Amino acid sequence: MQKTKKLKKLVVANWKMNPKTNAEALTILKETLKGANTAVDVTVCPPFLFLSLLAKIKLKKGITLGLQNVSEFEEGAHTGEVSVLMGKNFPISYVIVGHSERRAIKESDEVVAKKVLAVKKAKLTPIVCIGEHERDQHGLYLDAIKKQLLASLALLPKAAIKEIVVAYEPIWAIGKSASEAMDGHTLHQTSLLIRKILIEQFGSGAKETRILYGGAVAPENAALLVKEGEVDGLLVGHQSLKPKAFGEIIMGVSHA
Ligand code: 13P
């Protein structure tokens, strides 16, 4: 399937609920900047509480900060939530939405769809996460992926499809070691399926939608996953907290 426009590959660091201190957060970001190169777009998504601090660091071209989550609401009585408009006080470009660790605490497809819309309205780019719990022999996971993808994008205007990122993260691979990541061939089949579903639903604009892979990404598998899996980048969890390893992942993606 031919894509029309070649955007740069994107590598996303999802720090999740790490690290513990301001000092560590500063060090990780500063070291991460050393490993970034302009061939690849990089976005670092720290916990909200570190944003004020990290936003003071001058970022290189092609590197941005992002959010790991936002509320579907703009403001109001929503204790403990953070709105995308608050995020806009910082130099952020991307917002992860519908991560499986949030879906695990009962974030529904309907709420994810509202969050995607809120992020788009704020003129930022949502990174919409999808992925199956397990691969059953009968291929039921294929329907599950389709249902989750379409429900998560249910409120997105058709024309906006090229302005979002879809991150495919099979839940069974998350947090595992490199050898337990999905193999490149299977990833290719899945990325083709995702693109086909997007094109059927949203039209040819979906040829430009960036599709990322996440789940046990490490220096040893990054280039292969992107090349064989034919994805447009990676969403990296625990290895993104290790600047040297993350730098190698960026290098691998830029050569893939
Ligand atoms: P790991 O890279 O730790 O497997 O996490 C993947 C992930 O959930 C990124 O969002």
Side-chain angles (χ1 to χ4, degrees):
M1 203 176 290
Q2 280 278 302
K3 290 193 218 162
T4 49
K5 194 169 138 197
K6 237 4 205 176
L7 282 170
K8 273 189 196 174
K9 300 244 179 340
L10 172 64
V11 180
V12 183
N14 178 7
W15 287 4
K16 306 192 178 183
M17 202 173 72
N18 300 290
K20 292 196 206 66
T21 66
N22 285 349
E24 284 174 283
L26 274 174
T27 305
I28 296 171
L29 183 62
K30 283 181 187 161
E31 292 296 316
T32 296
L33 292 179
K34 291 182 193 161
N37 69 52
T38 50
V40 177
D41 287 334
V42 174
T43 192
V44 175
C45 302
F48 296 127
L49 285 175
F50 293 132
L51 272 174
S52 298
L53 185 73
L54 299 183
K56 293 196 181 113
I57 296 180
K58 192 170 169 357
L59 300 174
K60 283 190 195 166
K61 196 169 177 290
I63 297 210
T64 51
L65 293 173
L67 306 181
Q68 296 177 13
N69 178 38
V70 281
S71 167
E72 69 266 42
F73 304 108
E74 291 190 343
E75 62 182 340
H78 305 287
T79 303
E81 295 290 314
V82 170
S83 88
V84 69
L85 299 183
M86 296 167 186
K88 284 206 76 166
N89 291 302
F90 301 99
I92 60 164
S93 307
Y94 296 92
V95 182
I96 298 172
V97 177
H99 191 280
S100 59
E101 287 153 15
R102 299 220 48 93
R103 292 181 186 267
I105 50 173
K106 302 275 177 278
E107 187 166 300
S108 66
D109 289 338
E110 290 70 26
V111 168
V112 173
K114 286 182 188 163
K115 291 185 176 192
V116 171
L117 189 64
V119 175
K120 273 310 304 161
K121 271 193 183 161
K123 300 200 175 7
L124 297 172
T125 305
I127 299 171
V128 187
C129 300
I130 56 158
E132 76 280 4
H133 281 274
E134 56 178 9
R135 294 221 151 193
D136 59 287
Q137 287 178 338
H138 309 291
L140 294 177
Y141 64 90
L142 296 168
D143 282 340
I145 290 173
K146 180 171 183 177
K147 195 168 154 281
Q148 191 185 41
L149 178 62
L150 293 180
S152 302
L153 301 180
L155 302 176
L156 187 75
K158 270 204 164 78
I161 191 66
K162 57 179 93 162
E163 295 153 13
I164 69 153
V165 176
V166 172
Y168 168 63
E169 296 205 300
I171 296 169
W172 47 266
I174 292 178
K176 302 277 173 56
S177 62
S179 61
E180 291 167 279
M182 178 172 268
D183 67 86
H185 175 68
T186 314
L187 176 57
H188 186 210
Q189 290 178 328
T190 314
S191 69
L192 281 176
L193 170 77
I194 292 170
R195 193 163 309 277
K196 182 170 171 284
I197 296 167
L198 291 177
I199 291 172
E200 277 169 8
Q201 183 71 16
F202 291 91
S204 62
K207 290 179 186 170
E208 293 171 44
T209 308
R210 285 195 280 190
I211 299 175
L212 313 185
Y213 167 80
V217 171
E220 50 268 54
N221 62 16
L224 198 80
L225 282 164
V226 170
K227 201 161 176 239
E228 282 187 5
E230 287 200 31
V231 286
D232 306 295
L234 299 169
L235 176 49
V236 187
H238 64 281
Q239 295 284 346
S240 71
L241 294 157
K242 303 176 194 163
K244 186 171 170 292
F246 192 60
E248 287 167 21
I249 290 170
I250 293 170
M251 188 63 78
V253 173
S254 61
H255 289 149

